[in-house]
Amino acid sequence: MRLLVTLCFALLFSTAASAREFAIDHLEPASWWVGMKHDRVELMVHGDGIAMLTPRLAHPGISIAGVEKTGNPNYLFVTLAIAPDAKPGGLEIEFLDGAKVALRHPWRLDAREAGSAQRHGFDATEAIYLLTPDRFANAEPGNDSVAGMVERANRADANGRHGGDIAGIRRHLDYIAGMGFTQLWPTPLLENNQPGYSYHGYAITDLYRTDPRFGSNEDYRALSREARRHGLGLIMDVVLNHVGDHHWWMADPPAPDWFNRTAGYAGTNNRRTTVQDPHAAPEDKALFVEGWFVKSMPDLNQRNPHLATYLIQNTLWWIEYAGLTGIREDTFGYADTAFLSAWGRAVMDEYPDFAMVGEEWSANPAIVAHWQRGKVNPDGHVPYMPSMMDFPLQIALRTALAQPEGWDSGWIGLYEMLANDFLYPDPGRLVVFAENHDSARMLAHLGGDVALWKLAMAYVATVRGTPQFYYGSEVLLQGPRERNDGELRADMPGGWGGDTGNAFTGKGLSPAQRDAQQYVRALFNWRKRSPAVQHGKLQHFAPADGVYVYFRYDGQDTVMVALNRNPGAVSLALDRFADFIPAGSRGHDALTGKPIVLDAALPLAGKSATIIEIAPREDRAHREVQARRSASGE
């Protein structure tokens, strides 16, 4: 009798188990490419009880190289090995429950675009236009609020969603290119299904999905293709340090150590010096890296090998899928240091001429230089980032223009900050800027002084590095003097129906707005034609009497930049610059083409940037000057 009961229970259990229905909620990445160096792809498979199943596939050139489980029965990590001769196309991955196929899931292997691995990233020949998509232009009001997305549009709320979208960006690519910019950097476009503050994009809830209020993945790819036709590259804003607290991982983490500090909220201490500080307490360093950025952004633990692989593959997938020309990596130093090396190395191995720039928000150039490729660090960290955002120079520029001019204030702080270039392995690859989406706009910082604002724009356009400009400043968007994100990321005039002013057409703009817009347009279109500014060396002269002078030169062309912050006109003696301006030299204004006499003195208007292209000389005296400069290694 006991045996009979046991057999009945066993049969009942077996029948229930075999009747169980499985489903896959997520399988990422959903595709890959033939011919990638990264040819072993680890799939994250997520579904209720999925770890009970065994994956199987049959496709020419693809095999399952490994299957791993975590402590969570709802995950499988399946590694696919892709041979160089694998056949592109759609396929199915089967998941077996014993000998029975419990479910099938589609997957795709694609052929790479020709020349994909050799794609050229941005460099100092380029100029970047940064925009906040939700605030740039709304071309499809129908997607302002989307079913399933928690936050709905509310343009009256400075911190709410305003409805800007990918279609709005596409509509105005000709405007961006016409302003002289060659690279487009939108802040993150991926899904942010958060209850509030979701417009900015930095609390991602799905790393493989474009937020439907911006558009679709295909819209993202179409933006890249269309931008390319306008001469614009596309830079993706990548977040490796954290996700949004409504990411689906939060409800069902793949592993207990997927996130840092989950026992209770612990915010980062923001002490970025601890990464390099030989005296730093381990607890302080750990809290910087492991603390959550804010309560709504849980910190990822990149020391988990599956998570590290997931993030690396996600970056590679978007580069290949969307045809990107660059990556801007958010909150760079907050992530695990060893992982940052592995991530950077993987990207640059796959795309040797690609461009990436990291955000390390520090006024200290030694802190920023630590992360740039080629830096030999005392702690042994090997960085792979080709570029970093030049926060030290940005902060020095803002400080210089806001201070009264003095022996130890004003221009001298900017001059001495630039002198720190010896700390960087490649200062010419840094990205320079006056403002971004996280800082009060330069015009607000300067109390609305447009003349000083023009000085800042001229500096960013002519100093070494790749310039980055923030949308809307060309029509004098100002915002608050103290940082208030929702207000400084204001709507672009003309991006919404009914706007009284239109930056894209010029209609309704004030004379001051039109003048500022034309200044930016002339400045950056000229820069596109100036190899000396793009690639040339830089020599600057210690500021004197409120005037800061430097030269950009490449052996063929010479550009003189004279920045006068005095409220009134001054006469600049030129004898100090004889190596660059020999007697009898001629020049013309770089932006207007007006001839300029380079005699004993040069008149400079008050609060102005004078940019002069010095005509090449072929006489003996000029050749002797050039020879001296070459001999001195300049």
Side-chain angles (χ1 to χ4, degrees):
M1 183 69 178
R2 182 177 300 174
L3 177 60
L4 180 61
V5 171
T6 302
L7 288 173
C8 288
F9 271 111
L11 179 62
L12 181 64
F13 178 80
S14 175
T15 302
S18 63
R20 178 172 182 175
E21 292 187 4
F22 294 91
I24 291 178
D25 297 323
H26 305 91
L27 191 152
E28 298 172 341
S31 63
W32 206 251
W33 293 265
V34 179
M36 300 277 282
K37 285 189 176 180
H38 191 96
D39 57 6
R40 294 173 72 88
V41 183
E42 183 175 85
L43 307 182
M44 172 189 282
V45 187
H46 174 231
D48 185 30
I50 203 73
M52 293 175 58
L53 305 183
T54 302
R56 180 178 73 183
L57 65 80
H59 188 85
I62 308 179
S63 60
I64 293 178
V67 178
E68 293 188 46
K69 302 176 183 180
T70 66
N72 187 332
N74 299 330
Y75 286 88
L76 275 178
F77 290 88
V78 181
T79 299
L80 303 184
I82 303 171
D85 59 350
K87 182 181 178 181
L91 59 115
E92 284 190 332
I93 303 175
E94 296 179 336
F95 291 85
L96 307 180
D97 182 8
K100 178 185 176 183
V101 177
L103 57 86
R104 294 178 175 88
H105 198 279
W107 201 70
R108 182 164 190 85
L109 186 64
D110 289 316
R112 299 184 80 180
E113 186 176 322
S116 177
Q118 292 76 41
R119 72 185 64 215
H120 178 72
F122 65 83
D123 57 25
T125 65
E126 315 273 3
I128 300 168
Y129 192 77
L130 163 63
L131 59 84
T132 303
D134 182 66
R135 307 302 172 86
F136 187 66
N138 185 0
E140 293 184 355
N143 66 13
D144 291 359
S145 297
V146 174
M149 296 291 104
V150 182
E151 187 177 15
R152 301 182 63 81
N154 181 5
R155 198 179 175 201
D157 181 0
N159 293 309
R161 297 195 75 98
H162 291 190
D165 47 37
I166 290 174
I169 301 172
R170 291 176 64 184
R171 179 176 290 180
H172 300 297
L173 290 172
D174 56 344
Y175 169 81
I176 297 169
M179 289 296 295
F181 299 101
T182 60
Q183 296 285 330
L184 173 62
W185 161 22
T187 53
L189 287 160
L190 300 186
E191 181 192 278
N192 272 234
N193 197 10
Q194 296 282 114
Y197 296 96
S198 68
Y199 76 92
H200 56 64
Y202 290 97
I204 297 170
T205 54
D206 191 326
L207 286 156
Y208 279 99
R209 186 191 188 203
T210 300
D211 195 296
R213 291 162 293 190
F214 292 140
S216 65
N217 279 12
E218 184 52 44
D219 291 330
Y220 198 151
R221 185 153 55 174
L223 169 65
S224 178
R225 289 194 297 259
E226 193 167 343
R228 201 178 312 163
R229 290 194 289 271
H230 284 80
L232 293 163
L234 183 61
I235 299 169
M236 187 178 197
D237 206 332
V238 169
V239 186
L240 301 172
N241 178 67
H242 53 264
V243 291
D245 63 357
H246 280 60
H247 191 290
W248 54 271
W249 283 335
M250 291 297 289
D252 192 18
D257 63 346
W258 203 255
F259 295 100
N260 287 315
R261 311 249 171 174
T262 53
Y265 170 74
T268 177
N269 55 18
N270 294 302
R271 301 302 178 191
R272 49 185 41 84
T273 58
T274 58
V275 173
Q276 302 174 57
D277 181 2
H279 313 295
E283 294 82 356
D284 291 337
K285 181 176 180 178
L287 187 56
F288 170 60
V289 174
E290 297 174 6
W292 291 21
F293 196 66
V294 294
K295 282 189 176 182
S296 60
M297 297 179 183
D299 200 73
L300 294 171
N301 175 25
Q302 301 89 7
R303 294 182 297 276
N304 179 294
H306 294 300
L307 175 57
T309 298
Y310 180 98
L311 294 172
I312 289 169
Q313 291 180 168
N314 181 256
T315 299
L316 296 175
W317 190 89
W318 278 109
I319 294 171
E320 196 74 21
Y321 175 83
L324 303 178
T325 56
I327 293 290
R328 180 266 184 181
E329 208 292 308
D330 179 70
T331 52
F332 189 74
Y334 289 80
D336 178 71
T337 304
F339 164 76
L340 291 173
S341 283
W343 173 81
R345 183 174 63 250
V347 175
M348 299 312 297
D349 281 350
E350 196 72 59
Y351 307 98
D353 201 25
F354 194 61
M356 297 195 293
V357 58
E359 178 200 35
E360 178 61 288
W361 195 341
S362 173
N364 186 342
I367 300 300
V368 177
H370 172 84
W371 301 108
Q372 192 182 23
R373 182 174 61 184
K375 183 68 173 180
V376 179
N377 289 301
D379 64 359
H381 172 70
V382 179
Y384 287 88
M385 287 297 287
S387 177
M388 296 296 293
M389 301 299 301
D390 197 344
F391 278 94
L393 209 64
Q394 183 234 11
I395 294 166
L397 174 62
R398 292 168 72 92
T399 302
L401 288 172
Q403 286 180 335
E405 191 67 20
W407 182 84
D408 60 352
S409 63
W411 285 135
I412 193 64
L414 185 61
Y415 167 82
E416 292 186 346
M417 184 57 73
L418 188 62
N420 286 309
D421 271 5
F422 67 89
L423 291 168
Y424 298 104
D426 192 355
R429 290 297 299 265
L430 299 176
V431 173
V432 293
F433 60 106
E435 58 192 1
N436 65 11
H437 58 296
D438 288 327
S439 62
R441 290 184 182 263
M442 191 64 158
L443 188 59
H445 179 72
L446 298 173
D449 192 322
V450 176
L452 287 180
W453 171 83
K454 286 184 176 181
L455 279 175
M457 298 305 108
Y459 181 79
V460 167
T462 57
V463 75
R464 56 91 182 111
T466 305
Q468 171 250 292
F469 186 90
Y470 192 40
Y471 83 101
S473 286
E474 69 268 33
V475 289
L476 303 181
L477 286 187
Q478 184 167 333
R481 192 162 190 166
E482 298 299 322
R483 178 179 171 180
N484 181 308
D485 289 349
E487 293 181 17
L488 76 90
R489 302 164 184 167
D491 293 348
M492 183 72 158
W496 280 255
D499 286 356
T500 55
N502 192 317
F504 307 115
T505 66
K507 184 179 179 180
L509 298 184
S510 69
Q513 286 177 305
R514 288 195 295 271
D515 174 73
Q517 189 180 51
Q518 178 53 32
Y519 182 77
V520 172
R521 183 183 292 116
L523 184 63
F524 284 96
N525 274 295
W526 162 76
R527 191 185 185 280
K528 287 170 67 174
R529 305 186 301 270
S530 177
V533 170
Q534 294 172 359
H535 296 297
K537 296 177 181 179
L538 185 150
Q539 185 175 125
H540 61 169
F541 292 77
D545 302 321
V547 178
Y548 183 18
V549 174
Y550 53 91
F551 292 83
R552 302 299 307 277
Y553 57 99
D554 62 2
Q556 297 294 323
D557 301 297
T558 301
V559 173
M560 175 184 184
V561 182
L563 306 176
N564 175 28
R565 59 168 299 172
N566 294 293
V570 298
S571 180
L572 178 68
L574 298 180
D575 54 331
R576 188 181 176 202
F577 317 115
D579 276 358
F580 293 93
I581 313 175
S585 294
R586 296 176 294 108
H588 62 268
D589 186 289
L591 305 190
T592 67
K594 177 183 176 181
I596 293 178
V597 176
L598 296 170
D599 203 348
L602 177 67
L604 303 177
K607 291 185 182 179
S608 71
T610 300
I611 305 173
I612 302 171
E613 290 184 319
I614 300 173
R617 299 269 320 276
E618 298 302 332
D619 57 49
R620 180 178 177 183
H622 178 70
R623 289 196 298 271
E624 290 175 351
V625 169
Q626 293 295 323
R628 286 201 306 272
R629 282 160 54 181
S630 296
S632 65
E634 296 175 7

